[in-house]
Amino acid sequence: VVNNADSPPFATLVQVDPKTGKLTVGPRITLAEATNGAEQPVWDPRTHRFYLSIPEVNGPGGTGPDGAVARINPHTAAVETLFPVKFCQPAGLTLGPRQDLLLGCSVPFDTAGNAWTAADPITAAPISVIMDARNGKIDRNVPGVSGSDEVWFNPGDGHYYLAARANPGGPVLGVI
């Protein structure tokens, strides 16, 4: 579970007894480098790791271009690595096919690399990002939709869905 509102934000591992459902609170993982909260966690059963969206890393607190996805080892309760991502501020996170992660970029950026607002005279450059969960490589920046918090992969139709509430031009349901 993630407490994104604390400063710095932190995650807590919780163990579930499969027979009784009893919850046992485990170690706390402090995310000192996260300067705009921490967001969606996702479990990858193939790597046996948790992944966690970090909207901003060592930035000013909401407008910085540098975000990341943290890979967390549940056995050591440690962040193994931060996979960097630029011009995205990842919030939503979902695991798709071939161990790809879709990052719902919560903050759209403009073509000059600054956080975009409706009053911005510079053209918005909204993206969503698909990242390889194994090594953090950016497989693709998908242009055209940003401002997403909730994202989902539907294995039934093979599509990603993005609830893009802060998309430049107005809210949309993005489909990839």
Side-chain angles (χ1 to χ4, degrees):
V1 295
V2 179
N3 182 335
N4 70 325
D6 213 344
S7 184
F10 64 91
T12 304
L13 295 175
V14 177
Q15 184 174 4
V16 180
D17 185 311
K19 294 179 183 165
T20 66
K22 178 183 177 199
L23 303 177
T24 303
V25 176
R28 175 178 167 151
I29 303 164
T30 301
L31 303 158
E33 62 283 323
T35 51
N36 190 24
E39 292 288 333
Q40 184 79 35
V42 66
W43 171 254
D44 181 354
R46 292 179 70 189
T47 61
H48 299 280
R49 298 294 185 264
F50 285 103
Y51 295 83
L52 179 64
S53 295
I54 308 294
E56 184 182 81
V57 175
N58 298 321
T63 60
D66 299 312
V69 173
R71 184 175 65 199
I72 298 171
N73 183 326
H75 304 291
T76 63
V79 174
E80 289 182 333
T81 191
L82 289 175
F83 295 136
V85 61
K86 292 196 72 75
F87 309 117
C88 174
Q89 291 235 354
L93 188 65
T94 190
L95 183 65
R98 299 176 300 281
Q99 288 185 277
D100 290 320
L101 296 166
L102 172 66
L103 287 60
C105 301
S106 62
V107 174
F109 284 81
D110 64 24
T111 56
N114 299 307
W116 181 86
T117 68
D120 195 337
I122 300 173
T123 304
I127 61 167
S128 297
V129 176
I130 299 175
M131 174 185 280
D132 188 317
R134 295 166 293 195
N135 57 23
K137 177 182 169 281
I138 304 297
D139 290 337
R140 184 171 313 258
N141 285 332
V142 180
V145 66
S146 196
S148 304
D149 186 21
E150 296 295 326
V151 298
W152 183 254
F153 176 72
N154 181 1
D157 66 9
H159 291 95
Y160 291 108
Y161 292 89
L162 305 97
R165 78 205 178 310
N167 191 59
V172 297
L173 174 64
V175 181
I176 300 172

